[in-house]
Amino acid sequence: MIWIWSVLLILVVLLFLLFWTKLTIVLVIKHIGDDDRITLKFSAWFGLIRYKYEIPLIQVDDDSPTLVVEENKGTDTAGGDSKNKKTKKFSLHDIQETVHNTKELFRHIIGFHRIIRRFLRRITLTDVSWRSAVGAGDAAHTGMLVGAIWTAKSGIISLMSQYFRLVGQPFIAIQPDFQRLRSQTHLSCIFKFRIGHAIVAGLLVFKYWRSAYGGRKELFAQLFNKDKQQSSVES
């Protein structure tokens, strides 16, 4: 009996530690011409646990009307990244179907807004930096473009401050290039929240979903199991 109580005590301690563990997510979005990269770095326990997920390439396939997405994911270690690379192709029909399923999903989970917003308010957003360099080829058009981008950035930052706990003053910079066509941007920020808050929010969402719509399992299957229907090439 002693070992049973010992195991139960260890499980309780582990669950307690998991609940209060703070997860840090570093988001980096880079756009330079046709090169787009999205990087997510997850860390917990003061960096003892680290994981990196990267989408380094989004482009149009030359041979067919599809998007080619290359994914890199693996552990982020001091000696280098241990990654698994995989290339997927998405046809126009696949994209349209995903958009349709996403719309259906949001239509059915509109009642979750209060739960989701309560969880988002527990997420701390820090170190927001958004730098851009744009050019339209001439001074007049470049000036108009800079004004539009500045307005869009301000609106997005304002929206993020309404949903997250924004700490610190976000840094926004736009460098105009009046001599040539140019499109570059670099967005980085850090999200921090406790895993327990995410677990509670997930349980509340699941309970609400089951009681309101009976789960709608087929919709989730269509939306989130799309990878099983796509042919992938391991590299």
Side-chain angles (χ1 to χ4, degrees):
M1 291 295 296
I2 297 180
W3 68 270
I4 294 179
W5 287 108
S6 299
V7 171
L8 290 177
L9 179 61
I10 293 174
L11 290 177
V12 170
V13 172
L14 290 177
L15 288 175
F16 180 80
L17 290 176
L18 178 64
F19 189 91
W20 289 104
T21 294
K22 180 170 289 187
L23 181 64
T24 300
I25 303 177
V26 179
L27 170 65
V28 179
I29 301 176
K30 294 181 180 180
H31 166 73
I32 303 176
D34 295 330
D35 185 16
D36 299 281
R37 295 175 181 269
I38 301 176
T39 303
L40 288 169
K41 294 182 179 180
F42 303 86
S43 63
W45 292 354
F46 304 100
L48 294 177
I49 299 177
R50 293 184 294 177
Y51 185 82
K52 183 178 180 180
Y53 184 82
E54 184 177 17
I55 305 177
L57 177 63
I58 303 177
Q59 67 180 18
V60 178
D61 189 8
D62 295 331
D63 300 327
S64 60
T66 61
L67 290 178
V68 180
V69 178
E70 181 183 313
E71 299 175 327
N72 291 341
K73 55 184 178 180
T75 56
D76 185 17
T77 60
D81 297 338
S82 176
K83 299 178 180 178
N84 294 322
K85 294 185 179 180
K86 164 168 83 165
T87 301
K88 299 179 181 179
K89 292 186 177 181
F90 299 91
S91 66
L92 180 60
H93 173 74
D94 296 329
I95 297 174
Q96 290 175 338
E97 185 177 353
T98 300
V99 171
H100 172 74
N101 291 335
T102 303
K103 289 181 178 179
E104 286 294 310
L105 179 63
F106 277 106
R107 184 171 66 87
H108 286 286
I109 67 173
I110 192 66
F112 297 161
H113 181 267
R114 182 176 299 176
I115 299 174
I116 298 300
R117 184 159 189 172
R118 185 182 305 169
F119 167 63
L120 293 180
R121 291 301 299 175
R122 295 181 180 272
I123 299 178
T124 301
L125 176 61
T126 64
D127 300 326
V128 178
S129 176
W130 197 348
R131 306 168 183 264
S132 300
V134 296
D138 63 78
H141 290 154
T142 299
M144 295 173 59
L145 183 61
V146 169
I149 294 177
W150 190 272
T151 301
K153 283 188 176 186
S154 300
I156 293 174
I157 295 297
S158 176
L159 183 63
M160 294 174 68
S161 67
Q162 294 178 19
Y163 283 91
F164 301 99
R165 291 167 50 192
L166 182 61
V167 177
Q169 183 67 28
F171 178 80
I172 301 177
I174 303 177
Q175 178 185 352
D177 191 335
F178 300 105
Q179 306 299 325
R180 55 175 176 166
L181 293 175
R182 190 177 180 186
S183 175
Q184 296 181 6
T185 192
H186 182 281
L187 170 64
S188 62
C189 56
I190 299 177
F191 299 90
K192 297 180 180 180
F193 60 91
R194 298 194 184 279
I195 295 178
H197 294 155
I199 294 175
V200 171
L203 292 175
L204 291 175
V205 167
F206 179 76
K207 179 181 178 181
Y208 185 92
W209 183 269
R210 293 283 296 180
S211 61
Y213 303 106
R216 293 302 300 271
K217 297 179 180 179
E218 72 284 354
L219 188 57
F220 273 114
Q222 292 177 10
L223 185 62
F224 297 111
N225 294 335
K226 196 66 178 176
D227 289 343
K228 297 182 180 179
Q229 304 173 10
Q230 304 294 333
S231 60
S232 63
V233 179
E234 300 288 344
S235 58

